[in-house]
Amino acid sequence: MPELSAPVINLVRRTSEPVAVQTLRSTAAAVISYVVAVWTLPQPAPLTAPLTALLVVQVTLYATLTTGIRRVNSVVVGVLIAIGFSALVGLTWWSLGLTIFSSLIIGRLVRVDEFVPEVAISAMLVLGVSQIAYTAWDRVLETLIGAGVGLLFNLFAPPVWVETAGVSIDTLAREMGRTFRAMGEEIGGHISVSQAAARLHDARRLDHDIVAVDASLRQAEESLMLNPRVSQGLLYRIVLRTGLDTLEICAVVLRVLARTLTDLAKARTEEALFPEDVAVSLRGLFGQMAEAIESFSTLITTPVSANAEEAESRLAAALASSRATRDVVADLLLEDVQEHPRQWQLHGALLAEIDRILDELDIDKRAERLGEELDRHSAELHERHPRLAALRRRLGSTRRPQPQPTTPER
């Protein structure tokens, strides 16, 4: 994957704390919209302008551009409803309730989608200060000022949430590695059913972690879309998304593996789970697989090409050692099954689950999947926007770089 230019890397580094940056951006947009409204309108406190700016300035540039119109529409509708009620009945407890009820109904009719509650919120806020503005035009103009400032403000150095997603992915991988190592440490000698069940509970808990990581990744993907600071946003989104998909599959298989060990513990309550030689090899194998998963996470979240190559080398070494140890474990388990054929199917399931994880982490398979995803997105672009795709080919901008497992500078 081609390296980002130095200016882009520096800009992304300066937004390494996107939460703090977004807080400052929202505050500044609201203040600027208020100042502009004060200079433009005769009203002493045009609070609708900063209100709209806060609603329009989204976490990502893509969200601002795609939802800004609906947000502005919801605020304008709420303003008009509040002005109508204020002119007719003023602010009372029953008029407030009727305003909220009407705003929620009308918001659905004008199809502002997920911003229906903001129609009622805008109406309530405007109703409370309606005596300041004497005409509907003033309120609408305030809304447009706030919307304009919010939209323009978010065009300046929009945040890139790749670091947050990368940290989430890395935390998930390290939690999986910790679970593998804990299973390896406990696999020697006799294991109680409660111990095995505790590891199974840890593996199941990874499902909840994946949900949180997926939400963080969706935000990162959105922050890369239409972002002028990132030239290969599609490639970066595919690298992160396919990487998380791989970890999710590994987490599912890890849960099944933990279930297999729990079933073995239930069947062998009076004896060791495995013979000593098998236990030693499995302990080493689980440690190597933990290293492979953590190296895979480092690979897909590494910003610089040199570091990515180092991470790929570590992953290749971890996979090679894991496969070698897996073969040793398979031979030992075969000897054990021949002597003690009980639960032979669980031994086979254990090896199959190990094979599945190692296969998912395979470097060649990952490169192949990245190529397939890039081709699929290219085909979708051509199908949806054939003229745009033809123009991009004509300009020579569709030359796709060779997909390498790395990500943009966080």
Side-chain angles (χ1 to χ4, degrees):
M1 177 180 296
E3 294 186 29
L4 290 173
S5 61
V8 173
I9 292 177
N10 291 334
L11 279 173
V12 177
R13 282 174 175 167
R14 284 199 291 269
T15 59
S16 60
E17 296 293 339
V19 174
V21 172
Q22 184 61 24
T23 301
L24 293 175
R25 289 159 58 85
S26 298
T27 303
V31 172
I32 291 174
S33 63
Y34 177 80
V35 173
V36 172
V38 168
W39 287 347
T40 306
L41 301 174
Q43 309 305 325
L47 297 178
T48 309
L51 164 67
T52 309
L54 283 174
L55 296 177
V56 169
V57 175
Q58 295 299 294
V59 175
T60 67
L61 174 62
Y62 177 77
T64 297
L65 297 177
T66 55
T67 66
I69 295 177
R70 294 202 303 276
R71 281 188 177 274
V72 172
N73 188 25
S74 66
V75 174
V76 170
V77 171
V79 167
L80 295 178
I81 292 173
I83 290 174
F85 274 92
S86 177
L88 293 175
V89 297
L91 178 60
T92 63
W93 67 268
W94 60 268
S95 66
L96 176 62
L98 190 58
T99 300
I100 296 173
F101 179 81
S102 302
S103 299
L104 295 176
I105 296 298
I106 295 175
R108 297 186 182 280
L109 294 178
V110 298
R111 297 182 179 180
V112 293
D113 298 333
E114 68 270 30
F115 303 126
V116 169
E118 293 185 7
V119 178
I121 293 172
S122 301
M124 284 189 295
L125 293 176
V126 174
L127 188 63
V129 294
S130 59
Q131 68 276 11
I132 298 177
Y134 298 99
T135 65
W137 171 249
D138 290 328
R139 287 300 183 187
V140 172
L141 191 55
E142 288 178 35
T143 301
L144 295 177
I145 290 174
V149 171
L151 288 170
L152 292 174
F153 204 88
N154 217 31
L155 291 173
F156 175 71
V160 178
W161 292 77
V162 175
E163 181 180 14
T164 303
V167 171
S168 299
I169 291 174
D170 191 62
T171 301
L172 171 65
R174 295 191 179 281
E175 183 63 22
M176 294 171 63
R178 186 197 66 79
T179 303
F180 259 119
R181 291 188 176 92
M183 291 167 56
E185 291 172 358
E186 296 176 354
I187 210 166
H190 176 263
I191 300 179
S192 65
V193 176
S194 60
Q195 283 179 298
R199 298 287 76 79
L200 177 60
H201 176 72
D202 290 341
R204 286 172 173 167
R205 194 169 52 200
L206 292 171
D207 291 340
H208 302 287
D209 297 336
I210 289 174
V211 172
V213 175
D214 182 70
S216 177
L217 180 53
R218 285 200 304 271
Q219 185 179 61
E221 291 173 324
E222 195 175 83
S223 73
L224 293 172
M225 298 174 66
L226 304 180
N227 197 320
R229 294 168 50 191
V230 182
S231 60
Q232 295 291 338
L234 172 62
L235 186 57
Y236 300 147
R237 295 200 306 272
I238 291 176
V239 167
L240 291 172
R241 174 54 62 184
T242 55
L244 178 59
D245 290 344
T246 297
L247 289 178
E248 184 174 1
I249 294 173
C250 290
V252 172
V253 180
L254 174 58
R255 184 173 70 244
V256 178
L257 192 153
R259 180 69 202 187
T260 299
L261 293 178
T262 303
D263 291 341
L264 278 171
K266 291 179 180 179
R268 300 175 180 178
T269 56
E270 303 298 331
E271 57 185 305
L273 195 63
F274 293 101
E276 182 62 25
D277 54 349
V278 177
V280 170
S281 297
L282 276 176
R283 184 179 300 112
L285 176 58
F286 285 171
Q288 292 162 355
M289 293 177 68
E291 177 67 24
I293 287 177
E294 293 167 354
S295 297
F296 178 84
S297 171
T298 302
L299 175 64
I300 65 176
T301 59
T302 295
V304 183
S305 297
N307 292 339
E309 292 176 0
E310 180 183 349
E312 184 174 343
S313 298
R314 289 200 304 269
L315 174 58
L319 288 175
S321 58
S322 295
R323 290 190 177 104
T325 307
R326 181 266 177 208
D327 292 339
V328 172
V329 170
D331 292 337
L332 293 174
L333 285 177
L334 179 59
E335 296 175 3
D336 182 50
V337 167
Q338 291 173 344
E339 296 179 5
H340 307 284
R342 293 180 306 144
Q343 293 88 41
W344 61 267
Q345 71 277 15
L346 293 178
H347 290 183
L350 179 66
L351 290 175
E353 290 145 12
I354 291 171
D355 288 342
R356 179 63 188 276
I357 292 177
L358 296 178
D359 181 63
E360 287 297 328
L361 297 175
D362 185 74
I363 296 175
D364 292 336
K365 179 177 179 178
R366 170 160 177 77
E368 180 182 354
R369 185 177 180 189
L370 285 175
E372 292 173 352
E373 286 295 313
L374 285 169
D375 291 338
R376 183 176 67 83
H377 279 80
S378 255
E380 289 180 355
L381 175 63
H382 179 76
E383 182 179 350
R384 294 179 183 178
H385 310 286
R387 294 182 179 178
L388 177 60
L391 177 61
R392 290 181 61 187
R393 285 196 302 271
R394 193 174 299 112
L395 295 176
S397 61
T398 56
R399 184 178 58 200
R400 175 167 57 84
Q402 293 297 323
Q404 298 295 330
T406 184
T407 58
E409 177 70 18
R410 301 198 294 270

